[in-house]
Amino acid sequence: MVFNVANSVASQGMDGADALAATPLVKVDENAGVSIAGKSGVAIMINERILNLSSAELVTYLKSLRSENIEKIEVITTPPAKYEAQGNSGLINIVLKKNQNLGWNGSFTTGFQQQTYSGFSNSATLNYQNEKLRSSLKLRQSKYQKHSFENYRITGTEGLKSHDDRTDFGDGLGANLSIDYQLNGKSNIGFIYDYGRGHSNMDIENTSDYFQNDNYTNTLSTYAEHRGRSTQQTISAYYDVKFGKQDNKLSITGNYFSNLPKTTIDFTTKESSGNQFVVKSPSVVDYKIYSGQADLILPYQFAKTEAGIKFTNFDNNSSIFYQNLDNGNYITDVLKSNEFEYNEKNYAAYFSLEKSFNEKWSAKAGLRYEYSVVNGNSLTSGQQSESSYGKFFPTAYVSYKSDENNTFSLNYSKRINRPGFRAINPYRWYINVNSYFTGNPFLQPSINHNFEFSHVYKGKLSTTLYFQRTLDGFGQLASLSGESRTSTFFNFYNQNSLGATLNYSDTFFKRWETNYSADVSYTDMTVFTTDASSKKGYSYDFDFQNNLSLNNGKTIQLILNYWLRLPSNSGNLRWDFVGNLTTGVKMNLMDKKLQINVIVSDIFKQSRSKGEIFYTTGSHYFNNYYDARRLTVSATYTFGNKKVKGTNRNVNFDEKNRAN
């Protein structure tokens, strides 16, 4: 699905994150990142090259783009064989306008955000182009603080009532340098460097009441200070060359990524009896990922052919220590500490064919093979795990354009969802002396089969029916034994999902732009080897976006957006109602050189995460709120030659997301 940003009045005078949020079927959340209706997540591409950042860094980076620089946004719900088979997510390709003139241009954006506490962000972009060189420098900075609470309750023979009162605060700095140089009319080279560092902190007051057969037994009161800092670096280089009479294209790319988060958790736990425990838990995690790939495009007359190979190496070395304060000294508890080494090597190759048979029929088919070798070693416990597996991932697409108004398509893809590093690392993150989160080194990837049938009418109304089969699905499950609460990951279910997505976009009276979408799905989960409960049920999501221009010059625009999810079931979870009403005004001043936005989000504080998790031993209830109601005021000033758009080519580095 293609959303023409350049033709949308509603998408002008805003940053890239807001333009993406205005795209049909796409939702942007500063905490959860970007998602597509019916998909659990999504990867972002700029001009067909993957942009790899954590959820928070991704949104910050998108805010450094300007909607005036974006030509269109392509939503790819079933990615072809060229892209990594990792994840059930789709792809979003942001296509930037081509450079037109030589010279300089840039922009500066500053924003203020008021939640319970205030925060701010700034970004600056500077672009330069001559006949052969295209370059772009982006700087970003942010500081935030917000108040949240989490409530968790476990019922059954053994019971728990837990309440967290939490303050999150932190800051971040980042820079992105992109350089593309045209060697000649057939080839070019490029270099991208992205650097980010910041702090992520939390102060948490937790109260945990324990019960046996509904009889109160004990209370643990914990005050914890989480202090974390991280440094991320990404280096990418590419070489593109066209050759032959058919303009065959070869692309060679190399990537390197490192992330070094360091965290210290200091907490003090008091029992109702008066006993007190003082603990320090320092940790260091060292992620390193490097990859190399080659992609070949052969546009033969009978069919467009694509082929490629890729190698990726993951390294994750981590150390976490649990230290008790004893007579003024911190003594390491060896049984609760862990040092873990993890290595994963992925080898991949793919081949695909794309052909248009006539003006009405076109098709594409591809096959990707991936082979993985995984090694995990706990230096502390001596626990080792080793596995290897190879799998084929086919994709197939058929499109039929019956007339100018109607287009039909049928798609299939097989994908794999490999667990992130923290899901397989057996180190423990302690909440109090009895409760912790941990990974599972024996966790296996899950397999997803995706089918889609779509119809688009006049480019305004799209209808999609989809079916997904998940095998060996994994997730995080919690258990309570006495006063010991543990939460870890398991492969524990197979699931079928059947759904339909409708989206309608139109403009009325040349001033009122609308985009309305709905997603309804039915899931049937079958659980194995755990005490999670098998469930089936429906899920309902709706999104209504409205933009009204008050004058023909589009100087002032009003927005009114509302998305909601009705009480729904997903897997072994039941979600209560959640919604978000957003309104505001956008102003374009000084011949559109100055854009001012004033936005109020979650006006009625409806975006709570509330529901029930079903187990055979009882139910777990959660009720969380993450300070979503906020006022945002931002201003952007653009300068220089407006027709210079800068270089924003990013390379395909999908695997990096697993390290965040």
Side-chain angles (χ1 to χ4, degrees):
M1 188 199 68
V2 179
F3 178 54
N4 292 304
V5 176
N7 297 332
S8 171
V9 175
S11 299
Q12 299 307 304
M14 60 173 60
D15 59 53
D18 291 332
L20 195 58
T23 303
L25 309 181
V26 177
K27 184 177 293 184
V28 179
D29 184 276
E30 293 188 6
N31 296 311
V34 183
S35 61
I36 300 175
K39 300 289 181 179
S40 56
V42 69
I44 305 295
M45 297 188 295
I46 304 290
N47 290 346
E48 294 195 349
R49 294 190 182 272
I50 293 290
L51 179 67
N52 295 280
L53 295 168
S54 66
S55 296
E57 283 286 325
L58 173 61
V59 175
T60 301
Y61 179 81
L62 290 173
K63 287 181 178 293
S64 69
L65 297 177
R66 298 301 304 161
S67 60
E68 291 81 6
N69 294 351
I70 300 174
E71 180 68 30
K72 59 184 177 179
I73 296 175
E74 300 172 339
V75 181
I76 308 169
T77 55
T78 51
K82 177 180 179 179
Y83 302 104
E84 298 297 319
Q86 164 64 24
N88 179 40
S89 58
L91 291 174
I92 293 176
N93 183 33
I94 300 176
V95 181
L96 301 175
K97 294 178 181 177
K98 294 182 179 179
N99 296 343
Q100 299 175 10
N101 288 356
L102 308 181
W104 296 87
N105 89 325
S107 66
F108 176 75
T109 300
T110 183
F112 170 80
Q113 182 172 288
Q114 180 65 51
Q115 296 169 275
T116 301
Y117 307 101
S118 59
F120 58 87
S121 63
N122 298 289
S123 65
T125 300
L126 185 65
N127 303 313
Y128 173 75
Q129 177 187 334
N130 60 30
E131 282 121 352
K132 290 189 174 183
L133 176 68
R134 291 185 299 159
S135 60
S136 181
L137 174 64
K138 294 181 175 64
L139 305 176
R140 57 189 187 269
Q141 177 267 341
S142 63
K143 188 173 184 178
Y144 68 91
Q145 184 174 2
K146 62 180 182 179
H147 177 257
S148 307
F149 67 80
E150 296 181 338
N151 293 292
Y152 200 84
R153 180 165 59 93
I154 299 176
T155 63
T157 303
E158 297 173 312
L160 167 68
K161 289 183 179 180
S162 175
H163 173 76
D164 279 352
D165 193 287
R166 193 176 92 198
T167 300
D168 299 69
F169 57 100
D171 55 70
L173 291 171
N176 182 282
L177 175 65
S178 301
I179 298 175
D180 186 282
Y181 185 77
Q182 187 173 347
L183 298 172
N184 52 52
K186 293 286 189 178
S187 63
N188 65 291
I189 58 174
F191 171 82
I192 301 165
Y193 177 71
D194 191 276
Y195 173 84
R197 68 177 178 87
H199 297 85
S200 179
N201 306 319
M202 291 186 292
D203 289 341
I204 306 174
E205 294 184 9
N206 171 266
T207 302
S208 297
D209 298 319
Y210 296 90
F211 302 85
Q212 286 284 341
N213 297 314
D214 295 328
N215 296 315
Y216 168 80
T217 57
N218 193 18
T219 295
L220 295 181
S221 299
T222 301
Y223 174 73
E225 293 183 348
H226 295 238
R227 298 295 181 264
R229 67 181 188 274
S230 64
T231 302
Q232 297 182 354
Q233 296 187 80
T234 302
I235 303 173
S236 301
Y238 59 86
Y239 171 67
D240 298 336
V241 60
K242 293 182 179 180
F243 60 94
K245 296 181 180 180
Q246 302 289 337
D247 267 347
N248 307 319
K249 182 179 179 181
L250 174 65
S251 297
I252 300 174
T253 305
N255 303 295
Y256 172 79
F257 168 72
S258 68
N259 185 17
L260 190 65
K262 298 180 179 179
T263 304
T264 299
I265 304 175
D266 294 310
F267 67 86
T268 300
T269 297
K270 296 181 180 179
E271 291 186 317
S272 55
S273 62
N275 293 330
Q276 178 172 292
F277 307 90
V278 180
V279 177
K280 180 185 292 291
S281 182
S283 66
V284 177
V285 182
D286 187 2
Y287 301 115
K288 286 185 174 63
I289 307 173
Y290 58 84
S291 70
Q293 69 184 82
D295 299 287
L296 179 64
I297 300 177
L298 303 173
Y300 295 124
Q301 291 185 352
F302 72 91
K304 178 183 178 181
T305 302
E306 292 182 285
I309 56 175
K310 186 171 186 177
F311 168 74
T312 307
N313 183 85
F314 301 82
D315 282 315
N316 172 21
N317 299 321
S318 58
S319 300
I320 186 166
F321 300 97
Y322 187 100
Q323 301 170 340
N324 294 294
L325 183 63
D326 186 9
N327 294 323
N329 297 313
Y330 282 99
I331 308 300
T332 299
D333 187 332
V334 178
L335 297 179
K336 294 183 177 181
S337 303
N338 193 24
E339 294 183 83
F340 184 69
E341 295 179 346
Y342 177 86
N343 177 262
E344 178 182 321
K345 292 179 171 62
N346 290 333
Y347 307 84
Y350 73 91
F351 178 80
S352 67
L353 291 171
E354 182 177 0
K355 181 176 178 59
S356 295
F357 298 96
N358 50 47
E359 293 183 354
K360 293 189 174 184
W361 287 96
S362 63
K364 184 173 183 176
L367 184 65
R368 185 180 186 91
Y369 179 76
E370 294 188 1
Y371 182 79
S372 300
V373 179
V374 180
N375 290 280
N377 180 24
S378 174
L379 302 180
T380 304
S381 66
Q383 185 181 32
Q384 297 186 12
S385 61
E386 181 177 348
S387 64
S388 61
Y389 54 89
K391 295 183 183 295
F392 287 98
F393 300 95
T395 56
Y397 312 84
V398 178
S399 178
Y400 173 66
K401 187 175 183 179
S402 61
D403 53 42
E404 291 298 321
N405 295 329
N406 296 278
T407 302
F408 300 86
S409 62
L410 180 65
N411 307 328
Y412 165 75
S413 67
K414 177 185 176 183
R415 300 181 65 77
I416 188 171
N417 187 19
R418 298 184 180 90
F421 290 159
R422 296 199 176 196
I424 55 180
N425 194 331
Y427 62 58
R428 299 176 177 182
W429 296 94
Y430 278 85
I431 304 170
N432 57 38
V433 291
N434 291 333
S435 302
Y436 60 86
F437 295 86
T438 184
N440 179 1
F442 300 102
L443 200 64
Q444 297 297 309
S446 64
I447 298 295
N448 298 290
H449 297 274
N450 301 279
F451 299 85
E452 287 187 358
F453 176 73
S454 300
H455 169 243
V456 178
Y457 177 69
K458 288 188 175 182
K460 296 181 178 181
L461 176 64
S462 65
T463 305
T464 301
L465 303 177
Y466 60 87
F467 172 78
Q468 180 184 115
R469 171 71 170 165
T470 301
L471 301 174
D472 291 326
F474 60 83
Q476 199 168 26
L477 299 176
S479 63
L480 180 65
S481 177
E483 295 182 3
S484 178
R485 174 190 167 194
T486 61
S487 183
T488 189
F489 290 84
F490 296 96
N491 296 96
F492 71 95
Y493 70 91
N494 297 326
Q495 182 171 281
N496 294 327
S497 299
L498 179 67
T501 300
L502 277 75
N503 189 89
Y504 179 75
S505 300
D506 208 343
T507 301
F508 301 99
F509 316 115
K510 297 182 180 181
R511 295 189 178 189
W512 178 20
E513 286 191 7
T514 62
N515 178 66
Y516 302 146
S517 63
D519 181 80
V520 180
S521 62
Y522 173 80
T523 60
D524 185 1
M525 171 188 278
T526 302
V527 171
F528 53 85
T529 69
T530 67
D531 60 357
S533 181
S534 298
K535 288 293 178 180
K536 59 183 67 176
Y538 291 90
S539 181
Y540 314 87
D541 289 88
F542 302 91
D543 194 0
F544 306 94
Q545 299 184 16
N546 300 272
N547 185 289
L548 180 64
S549 298
L550 297 185
N551 56 0
N552 291 331
K554 317 301 190 236
T555 304
I556 300 177
Q557 301 172 46
L558 302 179
I559 65 170
L560 181 64
N561 302 330
Y562 186 59
W563 68 262
L564 70 152
R565 182 181 63 226
L566 298 179
S568 304
N569 292 290
S570 176
N572 67 323
L573 277 76
R574 177 190 59 79
W575 298 92
D576 287 359
F577 174 88
V578 62
N580 189 326
L581 177 64
T582 298
T583 188
V585 60
K586 300 185 295 183
M587 294 174 285
N588 295 308
L589 309 173
M590 300 172 58
D591 194 25
K592 296 187 177 181
K593 290 184 178 180
L594 177 64
Q595 294 93 33
I596 298 176
N597 296 339
V598 181
I599 308 294
V600 183
S601 304
D602 195 21
I603 295 174
F604 299 119
K605 298 185 71 172
Q606 293 180 318
S607 59
R608 294 173 180 263
S609 176
K610 185 178 180 181
E612 180 179 1
I613 310 173
F614 299 98
Y615 292 84
T616 58
T617 56
S619 289
H620 295 200
Y621 299 88
F622 58 92
N623 182 3
N624 310 324
Y625 186 70
Y626 299 105
D627 213 4
R629 183 163 65 177
R630 62 181 177 269
L631 167 69
T632 302
V633 181
S634 64
T636 299
Y637 179 75
T638 59
F639 57 88
N641 186 348
K642 293 183 179 179
K643 292 186 177 181
V644 179
K645 304 306 177 186
T647 177
N648 284 282
R649 295 188 65 185
N650 282 267
V651 297
N652 190 343
F653 200 8
D654 314 46
E655 306 87 354
K656 176 181 160 186
N657 294 321
R658 294 174 60 201
N660 295 305

